[in-house]
Amino acid sequence: MHKAYQPLKLAANKYLQNKWDQEHYEEHRKKVREAKPIIDTKGIRTPTHIQVKLKKAQVQEERQAIIHRDNQLLASKLADIQHSKGRIDHRNFYPVRSLNSERRRAELLQVTHENRTIYERITAQESEYRRELWEENWAKTEQRRDGITCYPRGVADKQKVKKSVKFLGGAPGRTLSSSSRTEDGETTDEDLQHQ
């Protein structure tokens, strides 16, 4: 504060007045600091059931409990698998069979039965052709041919063409003949004797 204090009112002693004014000012500042408002402007306090949100906490606890239980189940299963030698049968020795094998077997039996009945009908049927009649007709035909021909049928088969050509040369006293064959393609007796 300034050394030459000038009080607002007349005073006998300036220094004492300065001291008193200072005390009044500090007391006023203290009252202003500690003063409480007449109107409450803080607003309504939020209710505890809205602040805490018990339902949300309950749902989270249930979810955590489910997760914890599932984790324990998985851990126990993994432990069992690790300690065991493997109880899973991964070998698939299943007989190979068709889903419609019964229907195909029934169709096959039906076709077999039908074939058997057809075979029995065919074998039981008598032939309409008469072989004896055919043989009689053929014998009559041969008799007619023999009566028409100029030469008998057996003579043509007996006539054979014999051709032989002799070659000179080779070892002395031995003659070679060419292989003469008949019209039928047979070798004659002479050819066989020379060889």
Side-chain angles (χ1 to χ4, degrees):
M1 203 173 221
H2 199 267
K3 289 183 180 180
Y5 175 71
Q6 296 293 328
L8 295 173
K9 297 177 181 178
L10 294 173
N13 192 345
K14 291 181 182 180
Y15 297 110
L16 283 176
Q17 191 64 38
N18 183 11
K19 182 179 177 185
W20 292 333
D21 287 343
Q22 187 68 30
E23 286 177 1
H24 286 305
Y25 178 73
E26 287 176 2
E27 188 178 347
H28 169 68
R29 294 305 300 166
K30 183 180 177 184
K31 286 181 181 178
V32 168
R33 272 195 311 269
E34 294 177 358
K36 294 185 178 180
I38 296 172
I39 299 171
D40 188 9
T41 58
K42 292 181 180 177
I44 301 171
R45 289 183 60 190
T46 307
T48 55
H49 71 278
I50 294 175
Q51 289 178 353
V52 177
K53 295 183 181 177
L54 295 174
K55 184 66 177 179
K56 185 176 180 181
Q58 180 185 0
V59 169
Q60 285 182 349
E61 286 177 6
E62 289 175 356
R63 187 179 298 154
Q64 290 296 329
I66 291 170
I67 292 171
H68 184 65
R69 189 192 68 207
D70 291 343
N71 287 341
Q72 284 183 345
L73 285 173
L74 285 174
S76 65
K77 287 180 182 178
L78 288 173
D80 291 343
I81 290 170
Q82 189 175 6
H83 292 300
S84 68
K85 294 182 180 180
R87 294 171 289 176
I88 297 172
D89 184 15
H90 61 281
R91 295 173 182 85
N92 298 326
F93 297 120
Y94 302 119
V96 178
R97 65 183 190 88
S98 176
L99 294 176
N100 61 349
S101 61
E102 296 296 327
R103 184 177 58 83
R104 285 191 289 141
R105 186 178 295 117
E107 288 178 359
L108 183 63
L109 288 174
Q110 181 181 359
V111 168
T112 307
H113 180 68
E114 290 174 358
N115 288 345
R116 185 177 297 135
T117 56
I118 291 171
Y119 176 74
E120 289 173 358
R121 279 179 31 214
I122 290 172
T123 53
Q125 186 71 26
E126 292 184 6
S127 175
E128 295 179 3
Y129 305 111
R130 295 180 55 195
R131 185 173 178 181
E132 297 85 13
L133 183 62
W134 287 356
E135 289 178 355
E136 291 175 6
N137 287 340
W138 179 248
K140 289 179 183 177
T141 305
E142 284 189 340
Q143 286 179 358
R144 288 189 193 125
R145 280 176 45 190
D146 289 339
I148 294 172
T149 57
C150 298
Y151 302 102
R153 293 186 66 204
V155 176
D157 293 335
K158 293 178 182 176
Q159 294 177 350
K160 293 181 180 178
V161 178
K162 294 181 180 179
K163 295 181 181 177
S164 65
V165 178
K166 293 184 178 180
F167 293 98
L168 296 175
R174 184 174 177 198
T175 59
L176 295 176
S177 64
S178 66
S179 63
S180 60
R181 299 176 183 268
T182 60
E183 292 178 359
D184 296 336
E186 297 178 358
T187 309
T188 58
D189 293 334
E190 295 176 1
D191 295 334
L192 294 175
Q193 288 175 1
H194 288 289
Q195 292 176 359

